[in-house]
Amino acid sequence: MPGHVTIPLARAWNSWSSRPAELTFLPLGLRITPVLYSTRARRTSAIEPRHDPVRFGRHTIDNSLIELETELGGTSIRFQASASDPFAIRGQWEAPQLGEWGTRFWLTLAISSDGGEVVRYDAEKGAAIIKIDRRFAAIVTRAPAIQVTGHDSIDALRADFETNGYFYTATRSDSAPVLGLRFNMEMMREGAYAAAVADSEDLAVLNARACLEAASRPAPSLHDGQFAGALDAVRDVVGWNTIWDKVNHRPYTAVTRIWNLGEFAVWYNDQTFAALLAGVFDTDIARENMAAALAGATPQGNIACIVTSNDAWVDRSQPPHGSLVAWLLYLRNGERSMIEASYEALARNQRWWRSHRDPDDFGLISCGTSDVGEGLYKGTIFGARNETGMDNSATHDEAVYDPVTRTLSTYDLGLNCALALDAEMLSHMAALLGRAEEADEFAALADRSRRLIREHLWDADRGIFANRQRKGGFVRSLSPTSFYPLMCGAASAEQASRLLAHLADPATFGGAFVLPNATRNDPAFAENVYWRGRIWPNVNFMVWLGLKRYRFDAEASHLAKQSYDLFMQSWRDRRIAAENYNATTGEAMDQGDTDPFYIWAALLPLMAVEELCGFDPWNGWSLCNNGADANFGPLLSPAGRIHVSSENGVLTVTRDGVPFLSTNNLGRFTHLVVGDGYISCRIESASQSAAELHLAGIDAGEVVAVKLGEMDAQWRAADIGIVVALPTADKTREFHLWHRRQVK
């Protein structure tokens, strides 16, 4: 029977399952599963990160390159796969190091299907062949298998090895639901195979042979120069964590391939961040992740904190960052449909927070756990703390759970700032959708929250924002949520200035590795357990957004660089993308509760990318020419799929291989808009001399007007379009160009 035929063709072949070396053609449910056997270790491995060592290599979004390395019994095996065509894929392996005599270490390619169709081996054609529904698939290998065995399942194949060893022939077969093509590392220390799907058996074999013989396509770096490897890292973390949810029959980007929380697991916040990261490359994957996040919407109005195949925490939610992510995705891709699909659930969630988590009707909220559902920790202080996402944070140590209101006794600063920002973004979304009354409603809610945060959650004695008892004083312990009022716009100019001093103070939040989620002078910092002292990528990202909102550009750039350096320390050699990091050493895996390949780790390198080309709600699409050489892309933008480069002080944006915009102006371009017959931006110049802006693809004869500030700009025709003069200036200038035809 056919599998999931609606998956986009470019993603049909992928490492979809919990076994990352297993390649699946999702439309047919066809699987090629490498199974290793070590006589020395006396065990098999299906290469499952929850049980086996796996080093994740590169993983493109379109599956044109998939790489990983594993180890068993002292033998290391490298795998590489490349989907050369939507219906064909080529794989290869090599063993750079053997832990035993190669004849005793075996690699088996197990061919099977979700429907249990029989796979047969045609010795004359040298191919394993399976017919699924009306289609044929053929799997061929560079060297013939040493032997072909048949089994009822992959578990049975593994049991055969573990019971009978490698020197056993009784399971030889040329047809079975699981057919094993067996190789050993003495005879095939390097090997290759290919699979193809076609509408006839002979054509499938022919296409598989052609795929096997085809040269591998090179996979160039996505990001060189300043912040080298940052965009590659974002891609690889998204690529590897994007899997198939067989319970809900959907693709989604998991928080990690490694945790075992059931057949699927969706945290609301984590899933929206997965959408944000995927949206850098692919709008469809971003849309899938937003849909997965919002699938947790409840009849009560909130979006569930977590939904897995085992449990659903519908009694609580997580900080409402979904509207921010939806708006950031809209700024990048211009997809109004994503706003339309997300708005209703996000608006209901905003209203739920205010009606269910403000027991005094004061306008500030506390975290809690409602009397609905059957989720683990429902009705407990720990369940209530889950709503902040910072479960064991020292900021909760003084909170008391009130079973009457089912809330904690404290106003949580981070939650209130997230709610204010959520309301602000919902106002933008409602205005876009023509829902004027709701736009006004949410704008007023955002204003009220900002005022209350500014007036009631500012500890004047310490000069910092903090959690506070609803009927008392401020909580002693702090976290980086103290900077979240920047993110939501609640801080006054004086308060914002005071926050910068705390940000840089090595006794609290400053230092070589930032931002610790307990101040360095808090006893909780030394515990180094989860939210008690460690660095969390999602928190760094939110603080960075706040710095950008207040145009603390130098501080934002510094935080982005520190975050990039922290990430790369574990990524460059070990390919670790950690859930959290040690704030003293920057080490990722010094503590057993840390996952080594977590989706939101990619927010750290994303900050570096977005320092050069990025999006935020207050500056729109921004480009920065800081004089450093860099070359990165492709990534999505309102102008389409672009590459960005900077060389010898000249910034160039290329679209479809053709230069679109270039300038030698040092500084920032913000609020960049590329529309039909219109281009505009704000130019913030750091140059000490006059500069130029080159706009390609515009016919000089079609130009209607060019404005720089209030004045007509000086411009001239050029071979590639037009060149606009940018005289020296010590202020931000508005640039506008109108022309009669769309930019080519």
Side-chain angles (χ1 to χ4, degrees), residues 1 4 51 108 131-132 153 176-177 233 249 294 380 386 397 432 463 487 496 512 540 548-549 595 602 626 699 706 709:
M1 58 183 297
H4 307 286
H51 312 293
T108 300
K131 184 180 182 183
I132 305 174
S153 66
H249 306 288
L294 299 181
T380 68
N386 293 154
D397 288 356
L432 177 71
M487 171 188 76
N540 278 24
K548 290 175 71 66
R549 178 172 192 158
D595 184 88
N626 59 20
D699 188 332
V706 184

Side-chain angles (χ1 to χ4, degrees), residues 529-607:
V529 176
Y530 234 53
W531 292 95
R532 301 177 81 82
R534 295 180 71 78
I535 297 169
W536 289 76
N538 57 318
V539 172
N540 278 24
F541 180 77
M542 303 309 285
V543 174
W544 172 76
L545 275 181
L547 293 170
K548 290 175 71 66
R549 178 172 192 158
Y550 277 68
R551 293 309 307 266
F552 295 140
D553 294 340
E555 290 80 4
S557 295
H558 184 59
L559 177 57
K561 184 179 187 306
Q562 285 186 296
S563 299
Y564 165 82
D565 290 341
L566 171 69
F567 177 85
M568 285 295 170
Q569 177 174 292
S570 298
W571 177 260
R572 280 195 183 95
D573 297 326
R574 294 182 289 161
R575 302 286 291 188
I576 289 172
E579 181 187 11
N580 50 67
Y581 297 81
N582 185 298
T584 301
T585 66
E587 175 56 41
M589 303 311 297
D590 62 306
Q591 195 252 22
D593 295 321
T594 300
D595 184 88
F597 213 81
Y598 206 87
I599 183 61
W600 67 27
L603 291 170
L604 298 175
L606 178 67
M607 291 158 59

Side-chain angles (χ1 to χ4, degrees), residues 137-149:
I139 296 88
V140 299
T141 57
R142 187 164 64 194
I146 294 171
Q147 68 171 340
V148 180
T149 59

Side-chain angles (χ1 to χ4, degrees), residues 609-615 619-626 632 635 637 642-645 651-653 660-663 665 667-672 681-682 684 693:
V609 174
E610 298 228 327
E611 275 294 306
L612 306 177
C613 174
F615 302 84
N619 302 293
W621 179 15
S622 299
L623 295 167
C624 178
N625 184 9
N626 59 20
F632 57 96
L635 68 165
S637 79
I642 62 171
H643 281 78
V644 180
S645 65
L651 174 74
T652 302
V653 180
F660 157 62
L661 174 155
S662 65
T663 182
N665 179 78
R668 294 182 184 272
F669 292 76
T670 65
H671 301 88
L672 180 59
C681 65
R682 293 180 188 172
E684 303 171 8
L693 172 64

